[in-house]
Amino acid sequence: MKVRFAPSPTGALHIGGARTALYNWLAARHGGGQMVLRIEDTDLERSTPENVAQILDALRWLDLDWDEGPISQLGRAEAHAAALRKLLDSGAAYRDSATADDVKAWKVEHGSDRGYRGTPSEDGSGAIRLRVPDDGDTVVDDLIRGEVRFPNRSYDDFVIARGDGSVLYNFAVAVDDADMGITEVIRGDDHLSNTPKQLMVFEALGIEPPRYAHVPLLHGPDGKKLSKRHGAASVQELRDAGYLPEAIRNYVALLGWGPGDDETLLTTAELIERFRPEDVGRSSAVFDEKKLRWMNGRYMRDMPIEDYRSAVRSFVDAETAGRPLNEERFRFGCEIVQEKAQTLQEVWPLIRFLFEPPVQDDKAWRKVMKGDAERVLTEVEAVLIDLPQGEEGPNRDGFSIGAVQAVLEPLPEKLDLGAGKVFQPIRVAITGTTISPGIFESVAALGREETLARVEAARSKLRDQD
RNA sequence: GGCCCCGUGGUGUAACGGUUAGCACGUCAGGUUUUCAACCUGGUAGCGCGGGUUCGACUCCCGCCGGGGCUACCA
């Protein structure tokens, strides 16, 4: 068994392409087969080396590896030329001097349900067309759709190579799939109507075609086909947004395919074991980032803490421009936020107070720093100062989570205030905002010196405010 | 216009002739007497429409409607 993923490098790999790549990869790994990566770069106008690099980068990041390639379709010009000669010699294809306008005119004359039929040019010039029979159907025996019949007469004698001999997609694909011994073609639904053309090329070449599985396209929220210029997130964008490759693999696999039971969270090993192309659904799906976020959060929480830390690291580096951070605090910060964030991007805002002064959030300040806030902070400062020094805690200053909790937790009762009235002012004092990890954890992480300094600063600001 | 594909809640899916139409995300309400997130509990919402076939249709057939793809000397 051998499959191929054959993107055309006209843009970055987006979520739809990633899914096609994943399905091919899963099919290959499931069936103990091979996957070929082929770059369909015969469109000189739109293909660029930058796009090729981006696609490879995206696949590697997703951890989808291939066994052969990347093979440039452009680099197979000789093989294409040989196949072309063969068809020309056998009469299966011919040169036709008709232009696109000529074909249009022909159709006006013969009816729109009728494919164009040309005549060989006398001087041997013009594009090369494949002869298409007038009668009969070409049937695609699709793994997902079943038998789909296409009337031959509705197809043109289509162009397989330009006048200069450069080949076109439907021809190159068939020749390449044949030469590479592809047994299963898993690709987007948008190719279904093109499949008869490719089948005709196989037929003309006298080669057994592969099996086809046309997976439904991914659509945008507006129901239109997802594409680069249509709001489709590229893999790189998803990476930058803080999603994990394993979460993306899991989520994307479920767009159009399900394991058959109610399982939602599936490891890659489970995906490989359970995926079969024939089980892919027939209707198109819409990419829903909300669910991806949820799933990503699940994966983040389940990560070993070391992996979590290194995944967070690159995002933090981007925020701090590489400025080195207090390692101990970073470690501890990661531990206390692992349960909270749904994307890697959300981590830094939650722990930045450990490395930078409190953020300026006037709204949060006004909301919380009023009424009994000053009295609360005075008391907080007092009990924290009394906390004995020691080696405990992330800063080795006696500020362990437990010690901090032991003195702060009784405060609401002691001051006869609601818990929120006590803890929110502390939170705003040390982080500047109302959103942070748990308050005891946050205080412990910040440590004695810095916590007391910030509480004192908040107190004096409150005094000035009066 | 022609050829082809598709149609279960807002989203992804399950059930494939007989179920109170299941699960997940979302959403709403409550809980966790510290925020946010997470977590727990409960609620919400669906078989596009119309004809058949059948004792019985989400499931089979036909029509319609809706969505999509292809129709290039693009891929």
Side-chain angles (χ1 to χ4, degrees):
Chain A
M1 182 212 178
K2 198 171 181 183
V3 302
R4 86 297 199 281
F5 176 57
S8 77
T10 55
L13 187 68
H14 62 77
I15 194 78
R19 187 187 62 157
T20 303
L22 176 68
Y23 282 178
N24 273 287
W25 185 82
L26 290 174
R29 295 294 169 261
H30 175 86
Q34 311 266 294
M35 180 163 99
V36 180
L37 176 62
R38 189 173 70 218
I39 306 297
E40 315 244 302
D41 50 4
T42 50
D43 184 346
L44 282 349
E45 302 286 310
R46 296 191 297 157
S47 301
T48 70
E50 292 72 34
N51 289 333
V52 173
Q54 276 218 41
I55 290 168
L56 298 187
D57 174 55
L59 290 173
R60 289 197 188 98
W61 181 72
L62 286 170
D63 215 18
L64 301 179
D65 57 339
W66 52 91
D67 306 291
E68 271 180 49
I71 296 168
S72 159
Q73 196 161 50
L74 219 42
R76 293 190 25 83
E78 275 119 80
H80 298 150
L84 215 45
R85 270 195 304 278
K86 191 175 165 188
L87 297 189
L88 246 13
D89 289 348
S90 73
Y94 61 94
R95 280 193 181 269
D96 180 9
S97 52
T99 63
D101 284 341
D102 294 337
V103 172
K104 229 174 270 173
W106 188 95
K107 287 203 184 188
V108 169
E109 197 177 321
H110 291 78
S112 58
D113 62 330
R114 184 80 173 83
Y116 168 77
R117 296 292 179 271
T119 46
S121 61
E122 276 156 34
D123 56 359
S125 71
I128 301 172
R129 294 180 180 272
L130 189 79
R131 282 187 201 285
V132 173
D134 282 330
D135 302 316
D137 294 336
T138 294
V139 2
V140 180
D141 186 13
D142 196 88
L143 251 25
I144 294 169
R145 316 273 162 185
E147 279 195 3
V148 185
R149 319 186 75 86
F150 296 86
N152 290 147
R153 62 174 273 136
S154 67
Y155 283 90
D156 294 336
D157 277 5
F158 57 99
V159 176
I160 57 177
R162 301 181 180 93
D164 64 6
S166 61
V167 296
L168 261 29
Y169 173 73
N170 285 119
F171 176 71
V173 168
V175 172
D176 291 347
D177 285 342
D179 286 355
M180 293 171 189
I182 303 300
T183 62
E184 246 95 60
V185 171
I186 302 169
R187 69 198 345 180
D189 212 0
D190 49 342
H191 292 284
L192 184 55
S193 302
N194 282 146
T195 306
K197 297 182 186 173
Q198 294 168 30
L199 251 15
M200 289 173 200
V201 173
F202 274 96
E203 172 75 25
L205 252 18
I207 295 170
E208 181 79 9
R211 297 268 286 159
Y212 292 90
H214 287 96
V215 311
L217 259 20
L218 253 32
H219 285 184
D222 63 349
K224 292 270 190 294
K225 170 185 175 181
L226 211 51
S227 70
K228 291 117 193 175
R229 52 255 148 205
H230 193 76
S234 71
V235 171
Q236 277 80 198
E237 282 166 343
L238 293 173
R239 174 178 62 194
D240 294 345
Y243 293 107
L244 301 168
E246 49 270 51
I248 292 177
R249 271 182 263 134
N250 190 161
Y251 173 72
V252 152
L254 261 24
L255 247 27
W257 173 85
D261 53 26
D262 287 335
E263 295 301 318
T264 305
L265 267 4
L266 297 154
T267 65
T268 298
E270 287 170 326
L271 290 176
I272 290 170
E273 190 191 324
R274 308 182 69 166
F275 181 83
R276 294 159 68 228
E278 54 267 48
D279 293 336
V280 173
R282 285 162 299 279
S283 55
S284 55
V286 174
F287 172 68
D288 175 22
E289 192 169 351
K290 289 244 182 67
K291 191 162 185 175
L292 207 212
R293 284 182 64 81
W294 165 80
M295 192 173 280
N296 199 67
R298 293 293 306 249
Y299 275 88
M300 282 177 64
R301 269 176 282 137
D302 290 343
M303 282 171 101
I305 186 67
E306 316 82 63
D307 294 351
Y308 186 85
R309 219 182 295 130
S310 58
V312 166
R313 176 90 55 186
S314 61
F315 280 78
V316 168
D317 284 346
E319 294 288 346
T320 62
R323 173 169 47 85
L325 302 178
N326 179 318
E327 238 352 82
E328 282 304 306
R329 278 197 189 177
F330 178 66
R331 294 174 74 99
F332 194 74
C334 283
E335 281 173 36
I336 64 177
V337 298
Q338 189 174 12
E339 294 294 307
K340 300 176 69 70
Q342 282 188 305
T343 68
L344 294 170
Q345 203 175 47
E346 291 169 5
V347 173
W348 175 246
L350 287 170
I351 61 170
R352 65 181 298 169
F353 76 95
L354 295 173
F355 313 99
E356 296 178 353
V359 296
Q360 179 87 12
D361 183 344
D362 295 334
K363 203 174 144 214
W365 180 276
R366 268 184 271 113
K367 187 176 170 199
V368 170
M369 294 306 206
K370 60 188 182 189
D372 295 299
E374 192 176 345
R375 180 164 72 98
V376 167
L377 291 182
T378 303
E379 186 64 22
V380 166
E381 195 173 335
V383 299
L384 288 179
I385 285 174
D386 285 346
L387 252 187
Q389 290 282 159
E391 286 299 300
E392 306 79 32
N395 297 287
R396 303 184 174 287
D397 56 6
F399 269 37
S400 67
I401 296 175
V404 169
Q405 180 167 1
V407 297
L408 292 187
E409 204 167 32
L411 249 36
E413 196 180 334
K414 188 169 165 190
L415 298 171
D416 194 27
L417 291 168
K421 290 272 184 251
V422 174
F423 298 132
Q424 285 300 75
I426 307 177
R427 200 183 306 279
V428 171
I430 67 172
T431 72
T433 183
T434 53
I435 298 170
S436 84
I439 194 64
F440 311 133
E441 290 85 345
S442 297
V443 168
L446 236 203
R448 179 185 298 269
E449 190 182 338
E450 194 59 30
T451 299
L452 288 173
R454 291 185 190 188
V455 169
E456 175 52 34
R459 279 183 66 205
S460 81
K461 185 174 169 188
L462 270 170
R463 278 194 299 271
D464 294 347
Q465 193 171 280
D466 290 339

